[in-house]
Amino acid sequence: MDINKRTILWIVFSVSLVILWNDWMVSTGKPSMFLPAPVATLAAPAANGTASDLPPAATTATIGGAAALPGSTPSSTEFKSERITITTDVIKADIDTLGGQVRRLELLKFKDGIDTQKNQVLFDANGSKTYLAQTGLIGSSGGTVFPNHNTGFIAKPGVRMLDNGNQVQLVLEAVQGGVKLTKTFTFKRGDYVIDVRHDVTNLGVVPVKPELYLQLVHDGNKPDGESYFNSSYTGPTLYTDAEKYKKLTFEKIEKENAAQLAKPGTPIAPDHPTKADNGWFSISQHFFVSAFVPQVQTARDIFTKKIDTNLYAIGNVLPMVSIAPGATATLDAKLYSGPQEANLLEQVAPGLELVKDYGFLTILAKPMFWVMEQIHKVLGNWGWTIIAFTILIKLAFFPLSAAGYRSMAKMKLVTPKMQAIRERHKGDPAKMNQATMELYKTEKINPLGGCLPIVVQMPVFIALYWVLQASVEIRGAPWIGWITNLAAPDPWYILPVLYAISMYITTKLNPAPADPMQAKMMLFMPLAFSVIFFFFPAGLVLYWVVNNVLSIGQQWYITKKYAVKV
């Protein structure tokens, strides 16, 4: 492989890494290096009010004038909230009677990413961390306030733990402003979906037309344990049939709020839909997601807003029908809070599986993961699955790789002739290139033939990176010995070192560049890339180690074969 060919390989590999880096930046909510930064978002107005009409996040146990349920006599406006814990076989949820908020949700089948002695927690309000699911009513007239997430609710007696049955329900009731809101949370066995039904009863003497809001509240802090090289996206996402999947950021919401304060009343063009009658919204994070899915074919306004310092919300406002005195209207919603497993997400709502973000090579990553799933069903270990998958990839690329290695073998054999050409024409680059091309033509050598297999494999490498980065199925999956989590970097750096050794051997098998400086640079490359691989998922490095070992065997055989012929 001559200097031009080496340079082309270096450029292709560098461009591929730049594309991977750009895709990582976009996936984590940072601006693309190739596209202008999107404009700030604007909270969508509700039908009879605005997103700013929503009550702020609950910060106190005072319900401020909330009426008691019929038949009871309030002694004070001070409400003593209670957290009711519902436990199923897969989740443990704490719901606060203050507002009927989901204040904590623990996944019983998944361990915490930092402290493996604890379970993974999604919803929580602890210290600087705030993550809540809230619902309530707005749209009142004459200053009357309907039950919302600051209102005190009364819990009806019932079973709190899923034992022998298939579901357990929690019913909460509150009366405020002449309206009774009944929230019914239904938890099912083996299901991360919580059905949330809202029954609104008009206790007054005139018709009312409230609006139901659903919102997810989250702080703007970075996730615990996140590093510069192993960053992930945490932020609001949404989906509509018309505009498909959208990723937002807390930074965008902050900028939109600042713009509104700087120029009150000035409209700001949003970069997400503000009205729909379908879709969902969520807070996505690495491996997990919480999403509200309102009932289908129901008009809704979509909003994002800043609630407080470093506290943001994304939600929907759904207008309800006019409710006559004594009548009841109902709106249903689903709240999914669990792992980003595509087979589970697809059953909840169209497009929800897109929160499992494979980057710009989703078209490759999805079928790749499907193949890996089928292999895993047989082998039962994700490490051996990656090795088997690597062998399959190598077999699929075998004809192309063989052609590339044959070209490299020929290049190695004519290296002395190329060095002679460089010595003869070292003062005339034009004649040197002309003589080199004539040599290629005489020896029937494709100067790019050795680079092609690597170029073709780069999309596979990038797609596999996102498969291992995004797949919760591989999170915490062990291989052998020291590799206890294939989705995390190798704790002992053994695989990156093996990668460096395999790359060094591969480099020595390739034809040496005539330029001594370039030869040194090519020997330095394995060390440089092995250092980068210190921060990559162990499963990805395992793929490259196995791929290199197979390549070494194939390259050695072909080189030896051509050497004998000559």
Side-chain angles (χ1 to χ4, degrees):
M1 187 182 292
D2 70 350
I3 184 170
N4 292 329
K5 185 177 175 185
R6 291 277 183 178
T7 304
I8 292 172
L9 173 58
W10 175 258
I11 292 172
V12 169
F13 199 79
S14 300
V15 169
S16 299
L17 288 179
V18 169
I19 293 173
L20 175 61
W21 182 264
N22 177 73
D23 193 51
W24 170 82
M25 292 179 66
V26 173
S27 72
T28 54
K30 299 176 178 62
S32 169
M33 293 183 291
F34 309 123
L35 297 174
V39 295
T41 60
L42 176 66
N48 296 326
T50 66
S52 60
D53 293 332
L54 271 63
T59 56
T60 176
T62 303
I63 59 175
L69 290 174
S72 64
T73 303
S75 57
S76 161
T77 58
E78 189 71 21
F79 178 78
K80 294 182 179 180
S81 66
E82 173 190 5
R83 290 199 184 186
I84 299 174
T85 301
I86 304 294
T87 305
T88 73
D89 57 328
V90 294
I91 63 175
K92 180 180 180 181
D94 290 350
I95 299 177
D96 200 333
T97 55
L98 177 62
Q101 310 174 73
V102 182
R103 293 190 66 87
R104 192 173 189 277
L105 191 138
E106 184 177 336
L107 302 179
L108 304 181
K109 302 288 187 180
F110 294 89
K111 296 299 181 182
D112 182 78
I114 299 175
D115 186 353
T116 56
Q117 301 301 312
K118 299 178 181 178
N119 291 325
Q120 177 70 38
V121 174
L122 297 187
F123 294 118
D124 201 8
N126 184 13
S128 61
K129 298 294 183 181
T130 302
Y131 190 7
L132 304 169
Q134 301 172 336
T135 69
L137 299 177
I138 59 171
S140 60
S141 59
T144 304
V145 179
F146 293 155
N148 55 60
H149 66 265
N150 289 323
T151 303
F153 282 73
I154 303 299
K156 288 190 173 182
V159 177
R160 305 303 189 214
M161 183 175 293
L162 186 67
D163 290 324
N164 298 323
N166 289 320
Q167 69 175 38
V168 59
Q169 286 187 330
L170 171 64
V171 180
L172 302 175
E173 289 185 341
V175 175
Q176 195 168 0
V179 166
K180 181 172 75 171
L181 173 61
T182 303
K183 295 186 183 182
T184 304
F185 298 87
T186 302
F187 300 79
K188 291 161 284 189
R189 182 178 299 278
D191 202 341
Y192 294 98
V193 174
I194 305 171
D195 291 328
V196 188
R197 191 178 77 236
H198 299 83
D199 295 306
V200 183
T201 302
N202 183 0
L203 303 180
V205 295
V206 296
V208 294
K209 192 176 182 181
E211 296 174 321
L212 174 70
Y213 68 87
L214 315 167
Q215 70 178 12
L216 296 170
V217 177
H218 199 285
D219 61 81
N221 298 324
K222 294 291 184 182
D224 292 334
E226 180 169 300
S227 67
Y228 182 78
F229 283 96
N230 192 28
S231 183
S232 60
Y233 173 79
T234 298
T237 54
L238 60 91
Y239 179 92
T240 63
D241 289 345
E243 299 198 29
K244 306 305 179 185
Y245 181 58
K246 294 284 185 179
K247 293 172 71 172
L248 311 174
T249 65
F250 300 124
E251 290 81 4
K252 288 181 183 179
I253 300 174
E254 180 70 37
K255 289 178 181 178
E256 179 272 329
N257 181 76
Q260 290 288 78
L261 292 176
K263 297 180 180 180
T266 302
I268 300 175
D271 67 344
H272 67 79
T274 57
K275 292 183 179 294
D277 63 356
N278 56 76
W280 48 265
F281 63 91
S282 73
I283 297 290
S284 297
Q285 64 188 79
H286 200 194
F287 298 126
F288 303 99
V289 64
S290 295
F292 260 124
V293 185
Q295 67 184 47
V296 296
Q297 301 303 313
T298 303
R300 79 281 311 261
D301 294 304
I302 305 167
F303 68 86
T304 56
K305 66 173 183 174
K306 179 180 179 181
I307 291 177
D308 205 341
T309 303
N310 198 37
L311 196 61
Y312 309 93
I314 181 172
N316 285 177
V317 176
L318 295 84
M320 302 187 71
V321 298
S322 179
I323 307 173
T328 299
T330 300
L331 276 178
D332 294 322
K334 296 178 182 179
L335 174 59
Y336 178 92
S337 192
Q340 292 179 3
E341 294 184 15
N343 61 326
L344 297 179
L345 299 173
E346 289 170 353
Q347 300 174 28
V348 178
L352 189 56
E353 73 279 0
L354 295 174
V355 298
K356 186 176 182 179
D357 195 349
Y358 288 135
F360 76 102
L361 285 175
T362 298
I363 192 172
L364 284 179
K366 288 187 72 172
M368 283 171 60
F369 183 73
W370 181 87
V371 172
M372 292 177 69
E373 276 189 311
Q374 308 314 306
I375 298 173
H376 182 260
K377 289 177 182 178
V378 177
L379 300 181
N381 180 289
W382 280 106
W384 297 117
T385 296
I386 291 171
I387 292 174
F389 180 77
T390 306
I391 295 172
L392 288 180
I393 290 293
K394 200 65 181 174
L395 290 174
F397 287 140
F398 182 82
L400 186 62
S401 298
Y405 291 138
R406 283 195 296 270
S407 178
M408 292 170 66
K410 292 179 181 179
M411 289 285 292
K412 193 169 187 179
L413 292 175
V414 300
T415 297
K417 296 180 181 179
M418 294 178 64
Q419 289 175 337
I421 291 174
R422 288 187 174 89
E423 287 296 325
R424 189 163 57 249
H425 301 291
K426 60 181 178 181
D428 192 339
K431 288 186 177 181
M432 181 191 299
N433 289 334
Q434 183 179 358
T436 301
M437 295 308 296
E438 288 175 356
L439 176 64
Y440 290 156
K441 186 176 181 179
T442 302
E443 298 291 340
K444 298 180 180 179
I445 295 175
N446 180 0
L448 298 179
C451 302
L452 191 57
I454 297 178
V455 173
V456 172
Q457 287 186 64
M458 285 311 299
V460 176
F461 163 76
I462 297 172
L464 184 61
Y465 170 83
W466 287 111
V467 166
L468 298 177
Q469 182 79 349
S471 296
V472 69
E473 295 87 346
I474 301 176
R475 177 185 185 265
W479 176 38
I480 56 172
W482 77 103
I483 301 296
T484 57
N485 183 1
L486 287 162
D490 184 338
W492 296 100
Y493 309 121
I494 295 174
L495 287 176
V497 170
L498 292 177
Y499 168 81
I501 295 171
S502 66
M503 277 294 293
Y504 177 80
I505 296 172
T506 300
T507 302
K508 296 299 288 185
L509 287 174
N510 290 339
D515 185 352
M517 287 299 297
Q518 191 179 22
K520 291 180 180 179
M521 184 187 72
M522 295 305 296
L523 288 176
F524 176 74
M525 281 178 60
L527 177 61
F529 282 111
S530 65
V531 171
I532 294 175
F533 277 7
F534 283 175
F535 307 98
F536 277 26
L540 184 68
V541 186
L542 176 62
Y543 162 80
W544 272 101
V545 170
V546 175
N547 181 75
N548 282 357
V549 170
L550 295 173
S551 298
I552 288 170
Q554 186 180 8
Q555 189 173 356
W556 175 83
Y557 171 76
I558 292 175
T559 302
K560 183 179 179 182
K561 177 180 177 182
Y562 273 80
V564 171
K565 282 187 175 183
V566 172

